[in-house]
Amino acid sequence: MCIPIKLGQSEKMVGMTKHTRHRHIPSPVCPSFVAPPVQSNLYFNSISLSAAIARTATTWNDAPVVLLDGLRQSALIELDTLLHDGSTFALESHFEFLADTAGSQFAAKVGAGIAHLYMDALGYAWRANAACLSSALDPHADFIYEGGNASGHGVVLVEAHGSFAKDASAAKIANAAKKKYIKQVKPFVAGPSPFGKIIHGYSIAFGSKPTTVGSFLAVSETLIRRPRKKTTTAGTAQADTAPEQTRATMALATHRSNFLLMGASEVTAWIDWLHSPDSALPEQTDVPLLRFDYDRRTYLAASPWFMRPGSTQRWFDDLFDHPRWWQFARRALFSRPIDTDSDYGLFVIEEKAGTEFLNALSNMIRDREVAPTATLRLPTIDPTGFTLSSGDLIVGTDAEEPYRYALFRDGLALLGQPFRGHLRDLVIWSPDRGISLA
């Protein structure tokens, strides 16, 4: 799915102002689990934050696609309008004209995005909404994560909080993180969830004063009462594209959001069908995916590609020579036109991550009547565009002009300049046969 990318190109750093560990009984909840070491800084580019906000806005397991797409669009428009460019986090001066409710809602979205960048950088690759833990009247955390150090042990619970109050301070943000941990995370640690036992919890609070440059980041997490074992550096707990065993329900929740962002509504419909056995069978049509190279990787794109000036002409010349070009042309006829004066980004998925999930999805569709799939073995990827270590953020260094994009551990990427890529061919995903060359 194409989205406007007008955010500044500067790289930002958010420093942790407070870290607190909370006692829990039992401790440890899972003796074999080792929490990633706390990290003092989070580095990210604007595209990464934009993508993270879009991801968290669409992580709602049962919500209609049309609603989630509306939430995604509103979040990105607000970020484009209200975030100031520069290496230090700051809001635009016109933020003060927002009504209190609107300002609070925007802060919550940014807080969720920052929390997601931090969790993904720590090594947690898969996520779902935590509303399944309690009724709407009970306070609960926002997200459930799996992968990284938690792989094979259970899941972790995360509460995200954002505040852009005029009296925001390091102390107030730290206090918010502690209170929300105690109220919305602690009661559920060591308990069950539809995705597995909750073995650890985080409360991540982020804040900034509207009239000043700078921010506050506080993290509260579960205390593990035993000597910490040596572990790999946070953010590199898994080798690039190394296979990782994850619960099928968690992978489906993550990729429902991913393919929604990519604009592949057909894939999302099949995921929903697996989740709701009594729902109507989706239309069994093949889904064309564009395969192209971008900064030393190959990606799959589901959104239509439009005629654009300059270098993009060759993409369309190649497409029109392809025997299945009409399938992409049909998509374009029923899609919103793009303003060619704007700089656009595109949500795509890394080829190996996308192919292995779609083939697994086809297997689950074929075998649903036999037995539900419990786990999937899917690759994970070292992230690009955000990191916990200084000096590791720059991307596309082998090019004259650095590439602008964000790549997450599960393979989803937001490419800031998609037309710099080189078209390879088309592939087709069939709900019953999986991925094949067109």
Side-chain angles (χ1 to χ4, degrees):
M1 180 174 293
C2 290
I3 65 169
I5 298 293
K6 301 178 184 179
L7 298 172
Q9 300 186 31
S10 58
E11 300 165 354
K12 302 182 186 300
M13 188 276 285
V14 169
M16 184 174 295
T17 49
K18 184 67 175 179
H19 177 255
T20 305
R21 290 187 174 94
H22 295 258
R23 297 178 181 179
H24 196 89
I25 298 175
S27 182
V29 174
C30 175
S32 56
F33 169 72
V34 179
V38 61
Q39 300 295 308
S40 58
N41 296 309
L42 173 64
Y43 302 84
F44 59 92
N45 59 31
S46 296
I47 289 180
S48 298
L49 180 57
S50 176
I53 290 176
R55 302 194 82 192
T56 53
T58 54
T59 303
W60 195 270
N61 308 338
D62 300 317
V65 170
V66 63
L67 170 63
L68 298 180
D69 189 49
L71 294 175
R72 173 196 64 84
Q73 293 183 58
S74 64
L76 296 179
I77 291 172
E78 288 175 329
L79 188 69
D80 183 26
T81 305
L82 298 172
L83 183 62
H84 181 69
D85 192 15
S87 59
T88 304
F89 188 93
L91 298 168
E92 290 286 2
S93 58
H94 44 258
F95 175 84
E96 63 179 315
F97 292 99
L98 288 181
D100 289 344
T101 302
S104 297
Q105 291 174 344
F106 176 65
K109 296 171 186 176
V110 174
I114 292 291
H116 180 57
L117 291 179
Y118 189 80
M119 293 299 292
D120 198 291
L122 284 179
Y124 300 107
W126 314 99
R127 77 197 189 284
N129 194 282
C132 56
L133 295 179
S134 64
S135 71
L137 298 178
D138 296 328
H140 56 78
D142 294 308
F143 305 108
I144 295 173
Y145 280 84
E146 189 187 28
N149 287 19
S151 183
H153 304 299
V155 297
V156 299
L157 188 60
V158 178
E159 164 67 13
H161 173 71
S163 174
F164 295 149
K166 294 179 180 179
D167 61 347
S169 66
K172 287 182 179 294
I173 296 302
N175 191 46
K178 294 175 185 177
K179 285 184 175 180
K180 288 184 174 292
Y181 179 91
I182 293 171
K183 188 175 182 180
Q184 297 174 231
V185 177
K186 182 179 176 63
F188 301 97
V189 175
S193 84
F195 306 100
K197 185 177 181 179
I198 299 171
I199 59 173
H200 200 67
Y202 295 86
S203 175
I204 302 174
F206 177 76
S208 179
K209 281 187 178 182
T211 56
T212 62
V213 174
S215 60
F216 315 103
L217 176 64
V219 176
S220 286
E221 67 173 298
T222 309
L223 172 66
I224 299 178
R225 285 196 169 279
R226 58 181 168 79
R228 183 182 295 278
K229 295 179 182 179
K230 291 183 179 180
T231 185
T232 55
T233 303
T236 60
Q238 307 147 29
D240 190 29
T241 65
E244 178 176 290
Q245 198 80 9
T246 187
R247 289 169 179 77
T249 51
M250 183 69 79
L252 290 172
T254 300
H255 282 301
R256 182 182 193 265
S257 166
N258 291 347
F259 282 91
L260 182 155
L261 291 170
M262 289 171 59
S265 58
E266 303 94 334
V267 176
T268 304
W270 281 104
I271 293 175
D272 289 344
W273 179 74
L274 286 174
H275 186 258
S276 303
D278 297 329
S279 60
L281 189 71
E283 184 179 356
Q284 290 185 302
T285 57
D286 292 345
V287 180
L289 300 169
L290 190 63
R291 185 168 173 256
F292 66 101
D293 294 329
Y294 186 94
D295 191 26
R296 300 165 294 175
R297 290 188 184 273
T298 303
Y299 293 92
L300 302 178
S303 293
W305 291 82
F306 295 81
M307 187 65 70
R308 295 282 300 280
S311 62
T312 59
Q313 179 67 53
R314 61 182 174 82
W315 283 56
F316 286 90
D317 291 342
D318 291 342
L319 273 179
F320 292 147
D321 290 336
H322 197 282
R324 302 292 290 270
W325 71 267
W326 57 270
Q327 290 185 279
F328 265 85
R330 183 176 62 180
R331 278 174 169 263
L333 289 174
F334 296 99
S335 300
R336 294 189 301 272
I338 288 180
D339 177 6
T340 56
D341 293 331
S342 299
D343 188 13
Y344 277 78
L346 187 76
F347 277 106
V348 298
I349 195 162
E350 192 271 340
E351 180 186 32
K352 182 176 176 61
T355 297
E356 294 201 16
F357 170 72
L358 288 172
N359 283 335
L361 179 61
S362 292
N363 291 336
M364 295 175 72
I365 292 170
R366 290 195 305 268
D367 299 340
R368 193 180 82 156
E369 297 299 329
V370 179
T373 302
T375 60
L376 298 175
R377 196 166 181 81
L378 299 174
T380 55
I381 300 167
D382 287 337
T384 299
F386 59 99
T387 179
L388 298 171
S389 303
S390 177
D392 295 340
L393 186 61
I394 298 176
V395 297
T397 54
D398 61 339
E400 293 183 4
E401 179 187 354
Y403 288 84
R404 299 177 57 216
Y405 68 101
L407 172 63
F408 295 84
R409 289 192 185 275
D410 57 7
L412 185 75
L414 175 56
L415 309 184
Q417 301 157 301
F419 290 98
R420 292 181 66 180
H422 176 69
L423 177 68
R424 297 184 65 175
D425 49 36
L426 294 178
V427 297
I428 298 295
W429 178 69
S430 169
D432 59 346
R433 296 187 304 273
I435 288 284
S436 61
L437 286 175

